[in-house]
Amino acid sequence: MTKSANLGFPRIGLHRELKKSLESYWKGETHADALHATGKQLRARHWQLQRDAGIDIIPSNDFAYYDHMLDTTAMLGAIPPRFAGIADPDQLYFAMARGTAAAPAMEMTKWFDTNYHYIVPELHTGQRFHLASTKALDHYREAKALGIDTRPVLVGPVTWLSLAKAKDGSLDPLSLLDSVLPLYAELLAALKAEGATWVQIDEPILVLDLSDAQKHALRQAYATLSAAGPRIMLATYFGALLDNAELATQLPVSGLHIDLVRAPEQLPHLLKLLDADKTLSVGVIDGRNIWRADLDRQLALITTAWDAIGPDRLQIAPSCSLLHTPVDLDGETALDEELRSWLAFAKQKLAEVSALTLAMQKGRGAAKAAFDASAAAIAAHKASARIHKPQVKARAAAKIALGRGGVFSTRRALQRQRYKLPPFPTTTIGSFPQTAEVREQRAAFKKGQIDTATYDAFLQAETERAVRIQERIGLDVLVHGEFERNDMVEYFGEQLDGFAFTKNGWVQSYGSRCVKPPVIYGDVSRPAPMTVRWSAYAASLTDRPMKGMLTGPVTILQWSFVRVDQPRSETCRQIALAIRDEVIDLETAGIGIIQIDEPALREGLPLRHSDWDVYLRWAVDCFRASASGVSDATQIHTHMCYAEFNDIMPAIAEMDADVISIETSRSDMELLEAFRDFKYPNEIGPGVWDIHSPRVPSQADMEALMRKAAQGIPADQLWVNPDCGLKTRGWPEVEAALENLVVTAKALRR
Ligand code: GLN
Ligand code: ZN
């Protein structure tokens, strides 16, 4: 009989219980026992919730105290030598994630194209492994004691090795497969002995472009593991298998999970390739977004599979782990009824999986209420005037000139005449410290404890203080400090039409850190200016140029839950035009330097190389649409961080910002190598202060970085600035570092 399955549940808890418990343990306020008790409670609650939702196949070992990749690293005993002295397993685990005074944390990076960050495994020559954790077994037993026979989840060995970084350049992590496989085999055998009949092994790298070595490793791995223990459900997600489809279907495993939300078109081909003895798990409910599913459409898709392979080899599941969705929509009482009827969080998604399974087992009539509700919501959504605004759609469809009036050299001459900045101009990226007081005042204002006039007066005083400090230090281009902003996307989303905000829609970003992405549900437009007031106020306080500060369209898109009823590019274009209006209004208000931040442009890159060009085309065009409405004498800046940009330099150049500030200091100007091969045409400020570290860089540090930059970039194109906003830093270090930065620029001028 067809079964319902889940691949993973959010760990953090409906009320972010895990976050709170972790943070009090880290602060030393509570003992590890309290943390473990919270974990145990959450696991029990989530297993029960899945059972109540009617899910037949419930995962275990999807829970992690920090990260499932780090769990795998801990399981394999791949502890970097700098942590070797830590005996307590909890302390060791969190030291790897967060660092200690003596040992810096392991690197962290984004999990495929999600906003979830995993801890990157570190491997070195002579690396040894041993089975160092029994967590998978323990959690299997823990669920069993509650009467739930789960399907344990493991990150597959080839994905784990592929995402690992070798600490010595000569080591190829995949060459360690032979050492890792026996440990996986040992664990699988132990799970089987405990009674597990199936395991889920995640190999999401199967949706990427694979090297021959990776393909070989996959064949070798599953030839070994298929006989080692329980039957294996090999899970792929986040995209289509494409050229890896034959490989994936030929691996000697018992089942294959495929993502039919991201890639429904792959189903017919896979059905042809699938062996007659294999189970197919169809991922038909979106694990990456918060929209309610069109159950009839998904039922039709599943029926295609059913027709080909029959009911007994079929499982119905979300597209991927529900880790990337919030827990429960029921608590969102502040959203209106209509909006809520379009959404589904993890709990609601499991109900959708159950309804689809029931319909396959007993016919659509058996799940009539769920199907009727889905159909009604989908129809209302299609027709809603809250979503569809013909004027916004028409404007986005109309052609506009994406280029500025003049070419860069023309603009540069006009801008230099206007501002007469010295060589190596100095500036910052926008935000100044969001002190406890700033956050308290904002919270008090939100709760209605202080009135608008009091809050505004506070913000004005903070802004003025920031302006005076910048003047005293001698920066050339000032900023207002962004004290009025909670978050660089939320601040704009709250002022744009087409956005909604949840009360409790938290999604884990890394460790205890959660984000609450805005929901873009409708056509986006800007009812009124969003930033002009604060920028104009700050400009009125000083004779120096004041830089206006905006978040770019691609970043707003990337850090939100995005509607799926139109292409992302179209939604992005609507946001771009709203930002364009703001840019023009800033110019009209006399702000002649405007920065449009795009820190997330790089992370929006598709997983497959062959899709990059299409994405970069519309992303760059959206940036240009937002920036091209102003005169040549207005200077447009952009800012990027958090990524390696070397492979998209031509696209960055095509954005044609007059100035870009970019994160480089952490990788010791590694990026600047790119400038030797690619001549960046406009002005650029390579960040000379790693603001993610509390360390105040000396003038000598910054000067050395600038000199290195000047080897690849002509001096008259260079700016001097930190590598990101300063909101997480304290004022004393900000003042000290900026003083050094200004002295650095002066030394360079000489
Ligand atoms: N202007 C923003 C700030 O300074 C940019 C933040 C970012 O790049 N993430 O905070
Ligand atoms: Zn930044």
Side-chain angles (χ1 to χ4, degrees), residues 429 599 639-642 723-725:
I429 308 306
H639 165 69
M640 290 188 188
C641 51
Y642 307 131
D723 75 350
C724 196

Side-chain angles (χ1 to χ4, degrees), residues 61 63-80 83 86-97 106 118-123 127-136 138 154-155 160 164 180 183-184 187:
N61 201 40
F63 180 88
Y65 283 99
Y66 200 97
D67 162 44
H68 55 277
M69 278 289 285
L70 181 62
D71 283 4
T72 313
T73 302
M75 172 184 102
L76 297 170
I79 313 300
F83 301 105
I86 309 174
D88 178 80
D90 291 310
Q91 278 174 21
L92 172 63
Y93 177 81
F94 292 120
M96 291 196 284
M106 293 170 74
Y118 68 92
I119 303 288
V120 181
E122 278 175 36
L123 302 172
Q127 178 77 49
R128 310 274 236 116
F129 301 97
H130 69 284
L131 205 51
S133 154
T134 54
K135 176 182 160 252
D138 299 342
L154 300 171
V155 176
W160 186 79
V180 166
L183 305 185
Y184 270 90
L187 178 67

Side-chain angles (χ1 to χ4, degrees), residues 649-667:
M649 282 311 300
I652 292 177
E654 272 183 55
M655 290 164 69
D656 199 24
D658 298 304
V659 184
I660 182 169
S661 61
I662 200 157
E663 176 183 305
T664 45
S665 47
R666 258 194 295 189
S667 51

